[in-house]
């Protein structure tokens, strides 16, 4: 303690004393400040009954059997006892003992551990008694079997003793050979300023610790226990790294942003699973809220408003076409394919409402199937149209025979076949990789609820076939760009395909660059689909609606045949030489498909009867047509574009003027019935 005082380290130590201290004044006297706060254990002992009275009655005269009692008497009363030997301890005592001194409770302090001396003596006494009874069989005194007494035999009897001691406590040895573990927990504290005292604050009774923490005070006014100066306990979110060779000293290190301290191993940090992040205290992992495009968000509302407008416009267009079903403009546009086209446009707009739904297995299946199917319906119909136009005009350059598969039924079968291939692709895809809603974690802070096909961009499987149709349609639009301008639907189809390609070329980089923003990705996809449908409506149906609603006077068969293409002119003559040497004239190319009513008659003959003529009644009140045949007649008609081939030695009137031409006498011929069949498809 003096060394602690010299080092000025009094407050750096808190002492734990063994039972050797046992509240001895030898430890604390003069060292109160250094010893303050000490905890010590003291063997628990009760007073030995009768010992205090016995000891206070002793004197030097009646205790001759104890040769050291006289020295105790001299030291206790500070006097020299008569006839006692001179020693270094009593030679300086001032007086001589009279023998009348007495021991009292006031001038005596008894050792508190006398019980253990008493119990030790009585344990040997009981062991010797039990051994004598078993070995000597009741004989008085030591028998030959106990001369000498064997220590191992005595130890065996000593372990088995059990008795009530002079203090009233039961005594026995435990299996390890130790006496009863009974201790008082004592505490050296400053009860008031400058006043120190040993205080009992608890006990340890045969394995059970009882401690009164409210009585423990390590420093006056500071009841909290001292902290270890080696290593403080790590804070929340920190793990321990023990110093090499040490078990009580460590360094604390912080777990990383996405780690928590391991729940069972305080020396390790544990990474939170995907979709979770540590709480603020880094003690547990908490799930990240799901993120998906909600129908009440601004992105979704904007996309749905755009699509809803498109659905209304599509419904109005379909209503106009149904009301004017038998007019020349509607017939010329190919009614069946137009209705299929409107159905595909409606599906494109409707896909927006599927895309903004909360992802689930069923919703993901609808998205996967509908996204590609709606496009396929649109572009299968457009491809069927452009292919038909191209085949008609190309065939007219080679032969007078009508191309195959240009009837409405054939066109519907072709369109259905193109659409069915997309259905087959989707069916195989769903069997191989069933649609499902999954959680996607592009970053540690994201928890996106998306469809599995959007994670790995396998949506492109659904779009791959429509993209092929778009490319082919665009090629056909380029190939048919020189068709006579009166056949203006080919031009509008071209505009549609060029604009669609631009839209999708802009969409692809946006889609792949917004993988972390689910709202922008889905909105961009839905808007792109709706814009493609809008372009189709605007380019293909607006011109027809203009004629039907604004210029109804042009919705007649003659208006489908502009003046400059109505006849083969004399001075304004335009000739086309086919592979057979036939010189032909292009007449009425613009949107003429299907404008002739079913009862329109047209007769022709190969004789020279000048008075023969044919009259046809037009359902749209068109002007009468007269045809006078004076020689051999050759007529070449191609579907969707009335291509009038020169007629040898014939003069006839059709529309705005006479038609006359000289051609080879052996030109290929086509009957009037065949011409009527091509024109009325």
């Amino acid at each position: 303690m003096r060394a602690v005082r010299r080092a000025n380290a009094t407050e750096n130590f808190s002492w734990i004393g063994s039972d050797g201290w046992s509240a001895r004044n030898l430890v604390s006297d003069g060292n109160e400040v250094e010893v303050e706060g000490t905890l010590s254990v003291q063997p628990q002992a009760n007073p030995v009954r009768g010992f205090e009275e016995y000891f206070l009655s002793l004197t030097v005269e009646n205790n001759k059997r104890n040769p050291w009692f006289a020295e105790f008497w001299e030291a206790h009363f500070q006097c020299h006892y008569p006839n006692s030997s001179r020693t270094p301890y009593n030679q300086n005592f001032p007086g001589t003992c009279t023998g009348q001194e007495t021991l009292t409770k006031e001038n005596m302090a008894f050792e508190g551990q006398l019980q253990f001396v008493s119990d030790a003596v009585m344990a040997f006494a009981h062991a010797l008694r039990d051994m004598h009874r078993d070995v000597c069989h009741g004989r008085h005194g030591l028998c030959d079997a106990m001369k000498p007494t064997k220590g191992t035999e005595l130890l065996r009897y000593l372990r088995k003793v059990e008795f009530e001691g002079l203090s009233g406590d039961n005594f026995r040895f435990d299996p390890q050979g130790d006496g009863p573990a009974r201790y008082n927990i004592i505490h050296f504290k400053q009860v008031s300023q400058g006043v120190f005292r040993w205080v009992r604050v608890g006990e340890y009774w045969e394995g059970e610790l009882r401690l009164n923490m409210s009585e423990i005070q390590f420093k006056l006014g500071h009841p909290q226990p001292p902290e270890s100066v080696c290593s403080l306990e790590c804070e929340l979110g920190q793990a321990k790294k023990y110093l090499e060779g040490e078990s009580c000293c460590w360094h604390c290190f912080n777990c990383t942003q996405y780690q928590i301290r391991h729940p069972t191993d305080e020396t390790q940090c544990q990474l939170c699973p995907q979709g979770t992040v540590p709480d603020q205290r880094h003690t547990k992992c908490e799930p990240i809220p799901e993120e998906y495009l909600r129908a009440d968000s601004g992105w979704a509302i904007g996309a749905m408003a755009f699509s809803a407008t498109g659905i209304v416009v599509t419904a109005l267009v379909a209503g106009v076409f149904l009301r004017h079903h038998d007019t020349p403009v509607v017939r010329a546009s190919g009614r069946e394919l137009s209705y299929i086209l409107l159905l595909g446009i409606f599906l494109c707009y409707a896909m927006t409402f599927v895309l903004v739904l909360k992802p689930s297995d069923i919703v993901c299946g609808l998205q996967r199937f509908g996204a590609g199917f709606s496009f396929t319906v649109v572009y299968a119909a457009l491809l069927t149209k452009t292919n038909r136009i191209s085949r008609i005009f190309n065939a007219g350059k080679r032969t007078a025979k009508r191309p195959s598969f240009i009837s409405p039924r054939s066109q519907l079968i072709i369109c259905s076949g193109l659409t069915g291939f997309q259905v087959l692709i989707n069916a195989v895809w769903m069997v191989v990789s069933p649609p499902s809603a999954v959680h996607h974690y592009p970053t540690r802070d994201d928890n996106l609820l998306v469809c599995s096909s959007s994670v790995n961009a396998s949506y492109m499987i659904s779009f791959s076939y429509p993209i092929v149709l778009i490319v082919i349609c665009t090629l056909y639009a380029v190939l048919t760009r020189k068709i006579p301008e009166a056949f203006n639907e080919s031009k509008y189809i071209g505009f549609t395909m060029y604009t669609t390609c631009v839209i999708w070329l802009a969409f692809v980089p946006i889609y792949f660059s917004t993988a972390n923003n689910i709202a922008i990705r889905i909105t961009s996809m839905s808007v792109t689909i709706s814009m493609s449908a809008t372009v189709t409506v605007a380019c293909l149906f607006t011109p027809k609606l203009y004629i039907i609603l604004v210029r109804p006077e042009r919705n007649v068969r003659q208006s489908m045949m502009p003046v400059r293409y109505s006849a083969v002119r004399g001075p304004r003559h335009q000739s086309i030489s086919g592979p057979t040497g036939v010189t032909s004239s292009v007449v009425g190319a613009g949107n003429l498909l299907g404008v002739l009513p079913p009862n329109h008659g047209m007769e022709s003959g190969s004789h020279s009867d000048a008075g023969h003529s044919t009259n046809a009644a037009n359902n749209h009140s068109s002007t009468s047509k007269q045809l006078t045949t004076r020689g051999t007649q050759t007529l070449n008609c191609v579907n969707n574009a009335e291509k009038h081939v020169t007629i040898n030695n014939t003069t006839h009137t059709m529309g705005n003027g006479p038609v006359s031409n000289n051609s080879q006498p052996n030109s290929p011929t086509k009957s009037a019935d065949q011409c009527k069949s091509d024109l009325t498809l």
Side-chain angles (χ1 to χ4, degrees), residues 396-416:
K397 298 178 183 179
R398 298 190 301 269
T399 178
K401 184 179 179 181
R402 186 179 70 179
S404 303
F405 308 113
I406 61 173
S407 66
R409 177 175 294 181
S410 299
Q411 299 301 296
L412 290 177
I413 293 175
I414 293 173
C415 184
S416 299

